């Protein structure tokens, strides 16, 4: 009976001896609940950033896919047309940058119709090229919306997670100092909670960087399709200029 009495007396004298032997929940959810308020805030922010990343991925993937299909159809219609009038009829009242390219060229040609009897068509070609380039740039900007958020998340999320880790480890060492012990049961939970913030930072950053690079390549392909459509419109303008003084029967045969 003497040893048991000694253990009981020691436990009563040092309550921390019992708490050190109690199990600690080291599951991700348990570590989140046990973390410091600052570390919790960092984890919540990183979880929200990860949600934003995947939301942008879904929305932007659908947008790029639809934009590429529309631009490819427009480029094909423009390439198969012999005149701007044919291209406009082929595209009809459809929207999208391809139709805007054709309409912009027709508008500029209509505005310059009176001057073409006295000057060459070089000025018209330059003005059409200028308008088409602005339409291409505007379409590319619209398609790139949202990708900057991915770049920001990819570059800052690891550092935000590292801040949470540093804060958590600092609190863990403060806890060690207050407990006056280096027992692993005291040190491990706090450090594990702090390292979870770094892990969440990487989970948020890595997909953001990968998705941003994929979108960058996809948008470059989209711009190339628009450039092909724009070049086709310029060819139609040049052809119309060459046939502007041709007899109507010959012009109809060209169409």
């Amino acid at each position: 009976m003497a040893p048991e009495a000694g253990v009981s007396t020691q436990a009563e004298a040092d309550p921390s001896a019992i708490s050190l032997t109690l199990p600690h929940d080291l599951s991700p959810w348990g570590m989140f609940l046990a973390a410091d308020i600052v570390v919790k805030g960092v984890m919540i922010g990183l979880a929200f950033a990860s949600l934003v990343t995947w939301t942008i991925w879904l929305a932007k993937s659908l947008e790029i896919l639809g934009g590429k299909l529309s631009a490819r159809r427009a480029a094909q219609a423009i390439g198969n047309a012999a005149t701007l009038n044919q291209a406009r009829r082929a595209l009809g009242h459809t929207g999208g940058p391809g139709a805007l390219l054709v309409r912009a060229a027709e508008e500029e040609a209509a505005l310059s119709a009176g001057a073409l009897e006295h000057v060459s068509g070089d000025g018209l070609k330059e003005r059409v090229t200028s308008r088409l380039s602005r339409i291409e740039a505007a379409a590319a900007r619209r398609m790139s919306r949202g990708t900057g958020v991915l770049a920001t998340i990819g570059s800052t999320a690891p550092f935000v997670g590292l801040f949470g880790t540093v804060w958590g480890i600092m609190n863990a060492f403060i806890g060690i100092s207050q407990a006056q012990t280096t027992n692993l049961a005291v040190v491990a939970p706090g450090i594990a909670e702090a390292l979870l913030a770094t892990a969440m930072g990487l989970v948020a950053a890595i997909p953001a960087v990968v998705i941003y690079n994929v979108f960058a390549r996809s948008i470059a392909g989209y711009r190339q399709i628009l450039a092909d459509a724009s070049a086709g419109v310029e060819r139609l303008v040049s052809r119309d200029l060459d046939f502007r003084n041709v007899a109507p029967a010959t012009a109809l045969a060209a169409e």
Side-chain angles (χ1 to χ4, degrees), residues 9-221:
T9 304
Q10 181 180 0
E12 293 176 357
D14 186 9
S16 63
I18 298 177
S19 63
L20 294 179
T21 61
L22 294 177
H24 192 281
D25 185 8
L26 291 180
S27 66
W29 181 247
M31 288 188 289
F32 170 77
L33 293 178
D36 181 80
I37 185 63
V38 175
V39 182
K40 280 183 180 178
V42 169
M43 292 182 184
I44 292 173
L46 292 172
F48 177 75
S50 182
L51 178 62
V52 170
T53 296
W54 291 109
T55 301
I56 293 176
W57 169 78
L58 179 60
K60 189 59 65 174
S61 295
L62 297 176
E63 182 182 358
I64 292 176
L65 178 61
K68 277 189 171 182
L69 291 176
S70 176
R72 194 173 286 114
R73 286 194 296 266
Q76 184 176 5
I78 293 169
N80 294 333
T83 63
L84 272 178
N85 191 28
Q86 278 189 3
R88 180 181 56 79
R89 290 199 302 266
L91 293 174
H93 297 286
T94 59
L100 288 177
L101 293 173
V102 175
R103 285 197 288 268
E106 282 194 323
E107 290 173 2
E108 191 60 43
L111 292 173
S112 305
L116 291 177
E117 299 177 359
H118 309 285
V119 297
S120 65
D122 292 339
L124 173 60
K125 292 179 183 179
E126 292 178 2
R127 291 189 293 273
V128 168
T129 300
S130 174
R131 293 187 64 167
L132 297 184
S133 65
R134 291 301 87 205
I135 293 174
E136 288 182 53
R141 283 196 302 270
R142 285 195 300 269
M143 193 61 70
S144 299
R145 280 198 302 248
T147 57
V149 177
L150 296 177
T152 301
I153 293 174
S155 60
T156 60
F159 298 102
V160 174
L162 183 60
F163 167 74
T165 298
V166 171
W167 188 274
I169 291 178
M170 181 180 66
N171 286 335
F173 279 111
I174 292 174
I176 292 171
S177 176
Q178 292 175 348
Q180 296 294 319
T181 179
T182 57
N183 190 298
L184 191 60
V186 175
V187 179
I191 295 179
E193 295 159 7
L195 292 176
L196 180 61
T198 296
M200 292 188 66
L202 296 176
V203 168
I206 293 174
V209 173
V210 173
I211 293 172
Y212 176 81
N213 291 333
V214 171
F215 282 164
R217 290 192 296 269
S218 298
I219 293 172

Side-chain angles (χ1 to χ4, degrees), residues 125 128-129 132 136 229-239:
K125 292 179 183 179
V128 168
T129 300
L132 297 184
E136 288 182 53
S230 179
V233 172
E234 291 178 6
R235 286 194 299 270
L236 294 180
V237 171
S238 178
R239 187 178 295 126

